Amino acid sequence: MNTTEIQDNAQQILAVTLLVTLISVAGIALPYPILAPLFSEASSPLTQFMQLPPELLLGIVLGIYPLGIIIGSSFIGALSDHLGRKRVLSLTLLGSALGYGLTGLAAASGNFLLFCLARLLTGICEGNIAIARAIATDLHPKIDKLRSFSLISAMGYGGYLLGPLVGGQLAFAGTEVVFYLAALACLICTLLSHGLLPKALDARVQHADKGSSLVLLQDAQLRRFFLLYLLLTLGVNIYYEFYPLWLVQQQDFSAVGISWATVFLTSCMIATSLMFNPKLQRRLSQAQAGLLGMLLFSLALAMLPVSGPLSFLLCFALMGMGIAIYNGFLPAYISTAYEHRAQGQLMGMLVTIFCVGNLLAAIIGSLLSLLAVQWALLVGAITVLLACMVFFHGHFKAGLWQAKAAMAQETALPGH
């Protein structure tokens, strides 16, 4: 990889990556406000498949998408190490556009099987989330990787803000319209990636390991980190996937109301990433800040099931802060500790673990929601707390990661 050309054009590359992230994630998040009301009301032909309970059908729809991302992220990040970031990113964005278009056709025809297959295809292609993070590591040291991660996270949150807002407002026009708009958003991202990213990003990464990101599981210390990341993402994804159902059942929210609640949540994430994380970087190590974010999210989620019509907004604000903090510091922590690894492969593994948690969250959450959605949220809080305990024991108490993460600790200090 021509590192000199990449470093010289670091600002332009980061700007394009941020724009692609914003539009792409907005496309991903467009359907979020419409799925829970759609399956809760059971008025669409999509909810009548084989006479199964709508809650289970919702769980299938929620689970099939992250299953695709698990498949995609296990090889797309590593593939970008070998074939080039730009080439793989552009091709997968085009595949996402095709997947959303097919999803819109399935929604219009009421074909549940096609709907699920299209969501699977879309998920496979959107394993390209790992490439944006890998590009962020390529720009270091010209642009500090913690700053890059925070900005990419902020753009992702912006997409989660913009997407549900637009999706909720367009729900009245029909489910298929929302998916067609998501397809258009991904097509725009394809053109931006192909036209604006430099060819230097198509060079092969030197010393890249062969195989998928799963080969990283051979490293015992990485396995420990991935265990805590799995517990963390399981709890967070239970929240992401079932707070709309909680809002519908407990707060009597519509699709528009869910979209505005999501706007509030993601606004807190963006503000934290841009304004609070830089201050934390000067005061705490990456490990300390990551643990703080995880604890904040866990405690706020535990309070959500018993919160009222207004107090739930405080829980949302605290959870948004927690997510933004750990999302800004944990990837930078593991990237610095293992900077000798191919970063596409490493970031791909993080996305894979996130989506395994997403899939497990869909299964566990849908089963618990048959009893009460509050149980799903409480279990989510408990799993994140378990992740905090694993991290505390592994890094702070037993020192399992301290040697590997010594550089990560140093870069968090002022002057580095």
Side-chain angles (χ1 to χ4, degrees), residues 113-131:
L113 287 178
L114 178 59
F115 191 88
C116 290
L117 290 174
R119 293 293 285 165
L120 179 66
L121 171 63
T122 308
I124 291 174
C125 293
E126 287 179 349
N128 59 20
I129 297 171
I131 300 178

Side-chain angles (χ1 to χ4, degrees), residues 317-338:
L318 294 176
M319 284 185 288
M321 291 181 64
I323 292 171
I325 292 170
Y326 83 70
N327 257 340
F329 286 91
L330 282 186
Y333 169 84
I334 196 66
S335 172
T336 304
Y338 287 86

Side-chain angles (χ1 to χ4, degrees), residues 135-158:
I135 290 175
T137 65
D138 294 337
L139 302 181
H140 185 81
K142 183 71 173 184
I143 301 177
D144 180 71
K145 66 177 65 178
L146 182 58
R147 172 172 169 77
S148 297
F149 281 131
S150 292
L151 289 174
I152 288 174
S153 294
M155 289 300 102
Y157 304 146

